[in-house]
Amino acid sequence: MKSIRSHRARGGIAVLAMAITATLPWFTAGAPASAAATVTSFSYELDPAVGDVGRGTSTPDDSEFRVTGTAGRVQAFIDTPQGFWLVQFQAQYGTQLVPGAYAGAKRFASPDAPGLDVGGRWNCYDATGTFTIRAITADAWGDIVAFDATFEQACGSSPDNATFRAELRYNAPVDAPVVVTASNPSTIEQQPATFTALVAAGGGDDPTGTVAFLDGATVLGTVPVSKGMATFTTEGLAVGAHEIVASYSGDGSHAPAASAATLQTVNDSRMSMWLSSESGDYIGRGATRSWTVPTSAFAIQTHSNPFDAVQVTVDAPKGMFTLRFANLAGQMLEEGTYEDARSTAPYHDATRPGLYVGGEGAGCQGGGRFVVAELRRDQTGQVLVFDATFEYNCELFTAGLRGRVRYAASTRTTLTGSWWLDYGAEDREPFTIQVTSTKPTPPTGTVTLAGEDGAAVCTATLSNGAATCTLGPKQLLPGGHLLKATYTPDTGSLRPSTSEPLGVQVWHGQTTLAVDSVRAADVATTQQMTYRARLTARLTGEPLEARVVSFGPNRPLGVGTGTGTGECSATTDAQGWASCSVPATGAAPSANGFHAEWEGDDRYYPTSANAAFVA
């Protein structure tokens, strides 16, 4: 029996002629169960056995399973007591992994072949194989959450013609006469939703007949069964939760049967984006993803005059996406179809429209086409409604992505004000909030100004669509702040809206020390050197209490400084006064005078002042 290592250096392999279309006979099938029941396992057989590989089955009871990736590429890592397995499935460039059979798979996917790579306890670098995906499901972010596949690799150049067969099931539905799965159980209204029914062969011929896909009692569509599968895609599901059931008609060898329901959630599309990326696409990485509020924040901007471009940003927990749509330079973006759009700076020119799609650290020069289905502005020209579909390709990649973005706001809130404030005097720089709408009359209601922590710092009532928010003194601490204004309507015909953030820098407050002169006659009488000074905020004149002020005589040039005769310190009182005394030395006060200092704190700048000794 040869060791596994002997297969790592062998080249030349025979291409397998057919895909695996049924569970291998030595696999243990699960019992029928409800839609919530799933199974995770990895079963394999190396025939003939090489080294200590042989055959085996791993489950979460004895092994660790990690399955990651998207519909572009799925990677499974199974850490077993005997060693690890690493299996990767990748769709042919320009496609996605969907249920069905894949022949001619190579270690690395390309525009001409899907990818299948097995590593760990079995390696054959020149292997070619086939695989069949029975179920693949991703969440709203495009991450794989369920996967069910059988696969086969042959190392045809090896003397013993080693063939590796395996089955990987990860959160996969348990076996039943009919199983229905959704490719993306969370979608947006009018986004394509795809369902696949797997009809069990039951040890006989492949089932024929049809599968009806039902939403409750409503038949969505009826599809013929091919090689035990039927797939149906629809864009017509209404907003809400749907229980989708697959009902199999049966044939001469297979009895009719119905699946347990799978849940499909369709989200409101008014503020949303979805994209479907292909294997080999640099930006979307083969995922189908969707974004909606409140888990994602949507903002829209117009650029230049007369608004020849619209930029939409979608800020989500995993990062931000930016989409920019532009007409020819100098021409207003309007509803219509825009072909041969390019992303090269400045994103559009006088001969071609502009299109850019990028996010989560991935962006590229490229281009494509887009269709603006709806574009409405308010009386000031600001965009309130935007609906566009797009197709985009990076220049260096053969695959691309497509999607749709929708921004629908019956109101738009803008926030303006000073970019810098002085601590303690914030109330001298009020903020202006403007709310516009598609309605002919100005919106009414209230606006709230809040900081980055969401805490309100000001609330005001709209008048003719505008309001002024004045902060209180000392309301914002020194440092950088992001303020947002949110409009709350008092009528059901309008929707709330939030402004883009306004960056504000609050500077430390300026301070003033007013120092009293010291009379030489008083020193002679009391034999005390008594210093007094008042510390205030320069802009407001407010006394600053509980600050320590230091006093001391000014020394002639060249004489060192430091604690010495005639120096003392005191804490300011409620009126800002600090006063302290030290014994007089008997000598006349210095003609150089004396000084008072305050070292500052986290809210106010330090300050100092000089005063004279007078007769």
Side-chain angles (χ1 to χ4, degrees), residues 194-430:
T194 299
F195 307 98
T196 299
L198 183 67
V199 182
D205 298 333
D206 283 342
T208 58
T210 60
V211 168
F213 292 87
L214 296 91
D215 178 10
T218 302
V219 177
L220 300 175
T222 302
V223 181
V225 177
S226 176
K227 296 184 178 179
M229 294 183 186
T231 298
F232 174 75
T233 300
T234 179
E235 300 177 7
L237 294 178
V239 172
H242 302 264
E243 292 189 345
I244 307 300
V245 172
S247 178
Y248 171 54
S249 65
D251 60 19
S253 304
H254 303 84
S259 71
T262 187
L263 181 65
Q264 181 73 32
T265 300
V266 180
N267 298 293
D268 191 332
S269 64
R270 287 176 293 178
M271 201 82 80
S272 65
M273 185 179 85
W274 65 266
L275 64 81
S276 182
S277 169
E278 300 169 338
S279 174
D281 169 48
Y282 172 68
I283 297 173
R285 313 298 170 89
T288 293
R289 305 176 60 182
S290 60
W291 296 259
T292 56
V293 293
T295 56
S296 303
F298 290 74
I300 199 162
Q301 295 173 309
T302 53
H303 295 264
S304 72
N305 190 8
F307 301 145
D308 57 358
V310 170
Q311 179 171 297
V312 184
T313 57
V314 183
D315 194 359
K318 289 194 173 186
M320 179 179 291
F321 256 81
T322 300
L323 303 93
R324 185 170 182 177
F325 306 84
N327 200 345
L328 306 182
Q331 297 187 28
M332 180 178 289
L333 183 68
E334 298 176 326
E335 295 173 1
T337 300
Y338 296 81
E339 303 284 355
D340 193 26
R342 305 297 297 168
S343 67
T344 51
Y347 301 107
H348 61 292
D349 56 31
T351 62
R352 291 188 296 190
L355 174 64
Y356 173 80
V357 180
E360 298 180 1
C364 67
Q365 288 192 351
R369 67 185 301 270
F370 62 94
V371 177
V372 179
E374 186 176 9
L375 175 54
R376 285 192 285 158
R377 296 178 169 91
D378 63 14
Q379 300 93 327
T380 68
Q382 298 298 310
V383 174
L384 293 177
V385 177
F386 185 73
D387 183 353
T389 56
F390 55 89
E391 299 173 11
Y392 191 79
N393 285 75
C394 296
E395 290 180 348
L396 300 179
F397 297 87
T398 58
L401 56 83
R402 63 185 180 91
R404 185 174 186 175
V405 60
R406 279 174 278 196
Y407 180 94
S410 59
T411 63
R412 180 175 176 84
T413 298
T414 56
L415 170 65
T416 57
S418 177
W419 294 352
W420 54 87
L421 303 172
D422 288 291
Y423 178 70
E426 297 99 316
D427 53 349
R428 297 190 178 188
E429 298 286 348

Side-chain angles (χ1 to χ4, degrees), residues 32-319:
S34 67
T38 61
V39 59
T40 296
S41 64
F42 178 66
S43 302
Y44 63 90
E45 178 185 56
L46 184 57
D47 181 27
V50 177
D52 59 351
V53 177
R55 64 173 63 181
T57 298
S58 299
T59 69
D61 293 335
D62 53 37
S63 304
E64 178 185 359
F65 286 74
R66 293 199 301 271
V67 176
T68 59
T70 68
R73 184 178 70 172
V74 176
Q75 178 173 288
F77 179 83
I78 306 101
D79 193 5
T80 75
Q82 295 78 30
F84 75 90
W85 295 96
L86 181 63
V87 186
Q88 297 185 82
F89 306 83
Q90 186 169 0
Q92 178 179 321
Y93 286 180
T95 66
Q96 286 187 334
L97 292 172
V98 297
Y102 295 78
K106 301 178 181 179
R107 290 189 63 223
F108 303 103
S110 70
D112 303 315
L116 173 63
D117 189 24
V118 181
R121 300 190 62 210
W122 154 259
N123 285 277
C124 183
Y125 293 117
D126 200 23
T128 302
T130 63
F131 59 92
T132 294
I133 296 177
R134 299 180 296 200
I136 179 170
T137 299
D139 61 15
W141 302 107
D143 296 327
I144 295 299
V145 294
F147 190 72
D148 187 350
T150 59
F151 56 98
E152 184 170 316
Q153 270 194 336
C155 211
S157 62
S158 61
D160 45 23
N161 194 30
T163 301
F164 183 82
R165 301 180 182 89
E167 177 189 67
L168 172 65
R169 309 186 76 179
Y170 176 72
N171 293 335
V174 298
D175 292 330
V178 181
V179 172
V180 64
T181 58
S183 60
N184 296 86
S186 178
T187 55
I188 298 168
E189 184 182 16
Q190 297 180 10
Q191 177 186 353
T194 299
F195 307 98
T196 299
L198 183 67
V199 182
D205 298 333
D206 283 342
T208 58
T210 60
V211 168
F213 292 87
L214 296 91
D215 178 10
T218 302
V219 177
L220 300 175
T222 302
V223 181
V225 177
S226 176
K227 296 184 178 179
M229 294 183 186
T231 298
F232 174 75
T233 300
T234 179
E235 300 177 7
L237 294 178
V239 172
H242 302 264
E243 292 189 345
I244 307 300
V245 172
S247 178
Y248 171 54
S249 65
D251 60 19
S253 304
H254 303 84
S259 71
T262 187
L263 181 65
Q264 181 73 32
T265 300
V266 180
N267 298 293
D268 191 332
S269 64
R270 287 176 293 178
M271 201 82 80
S272 65
M273 185 179 85
W274 65 266
L275 64 81
S276 182
S277 169
E278 300 169 338
S279 174
D281 169 48
Y282 172 68
I283 297 173
R285 313 298 170 89
T288 293
R289 305 176 60 182
S290 60
W291 296 259
T292 56
V293 293
T295 56
S296 303
F298 290 74
I300 199 162
Q301 295 173 309
T302 53
H303 295 264
S304 72
N305 190 8
F307 301 145
D308 57 358
V310 170
Q311 179 171 297
V312 184
T313 57
V314 183
D315 194 359
K318 289 194 173 186

Side-chain angles (χ1 to χ4, degrees), residues 425-438:
E426 297 99 316
D427 53 349
R428 297 190 178 188
E429 298 286 348
F431 293 89
T432 299
I433 301 169
Q434 184 78 39
V435 180
T436 56
S437 76
T438 53

